Amino acid sequence: MRSPPQLFQYWGSFRYNQAAAQFNGEQAVSASYIGGCQCGQIRYEIRAEPLTLYLCHCKECQKQSSSAFGMSLTVERDAVVIIQGQPKSWTRKADSGREVTCLFCDNCGTRLFHDRAYNQQTINVKAGTLDDTSWLRPVGNIWTRSAQPWMLISDQMLNYEGQPEDVHPLWEQWTQQHS
């Protein structure tokens, strides 16, 4: 069995493996989710099952999404492959005080990923950038203390007033919902 070609480009700690994305070898992929920016300049593939999906109501996500919340689909970092284009990045402080590198299309401005410096194993995909969003069902809400007053927060979901210290309950809820 051949190994895929390795051609990596780095922005911060996030790896873009364009050569491996084009590899047509014998490696089976159990899951594949495709997405990209609004103008089509950047395309990506997620090659593993997501770990969780939650809504973030922090002021930064409200600003970034131009809405009441942002959607974050947490996936294993190595499962995300950029198959077309090259995102630009900038780093900001999150409401939690931690650094987040935001990756976006420099042509249309679509935010694609949030790369959190404190977690090197996973990355958050901005779920609205997936080609098919019909299957998305968030399992929780974070930063509910910043939620818009008209926003109804379901008590059927996991809810956190701020940044959860442990995200594993969100992962477990996602696994239960999708088994």
Side-chain angles (χ1 to χ4, degrees), residues 9 24-25 29 35 38 49 85 103-104 122 129 136 145 160:
Q9 298 177 15
N24 292 322
V29 176
Q38 286 183 290
E49 290 297 333
L103 297 116
F104 63 96
T122 64
T129 64
L136 297 173
R145 70 172 157 241
Y160 302 88

Side-chain angles (χ1 to χ4, degrees), residues 28-49:
V29 176
S30 62
S32 179
Y33 304 94
I34 306 291
C37 65
Q38 286 183 290
C39 73
Q41 181 173 301
I42 299 175
R43 302 290 296 155
Y44 67 84
E45 182 177 3
I46 302 170
R47 295 184 173 182
E49 290 297 333

Side-chain angles (χ1 to χ4, degrees), residues 95-108:
D95 283 355
S96 65
R98 298 172 170 167
E99 283 192 352
V100 175
T101 299
C102 307
L103 297 116
F104 63 96
C105 174
D106 69 340
N107 188 51
C108 66

Side-chain angles (χ1 to χ4, degrees), residues 129-149:
T129 64
L130 289 166
D131 292 350
D132 177 12
T133 58
S134 63
W135 60 276
L136 297 173
R137 301 284 183 277
V139 298
N141 295 277
I142 68 172
W143 289 95
T144 58
R145 70 172 157 241
S146 304
Q148 292 297 315

Side-chain angles (χ1 to χ4, degrees), residues 12-61:
S13 60
F14 190 73
R15 178 176 71 185
Y16 300 91
N17 186 343
Q18 292 175 316
Q22 297 170 3
F23 178 71
N24 292 322
E26 301 152 15
Q27 294 178 332
V29 176
S30 62
S32 179
Y33 304 94
I34 306 291
C37 65
Q38 286 183 290
C39 73
Q41 181 173 301
I42 299 175
R43 302 290 296 155
Y44 67 84
E45 182 177 3
I46 302 170
R47 295 184 173 182
E49 290 297 333
L51 300 171
T52 194
L53 173 66
Y54 59 86
L55 307 179
C56 180
H57 300 271
C58 78
K59 296 298 182 186
E60 289 297 325
C61 281

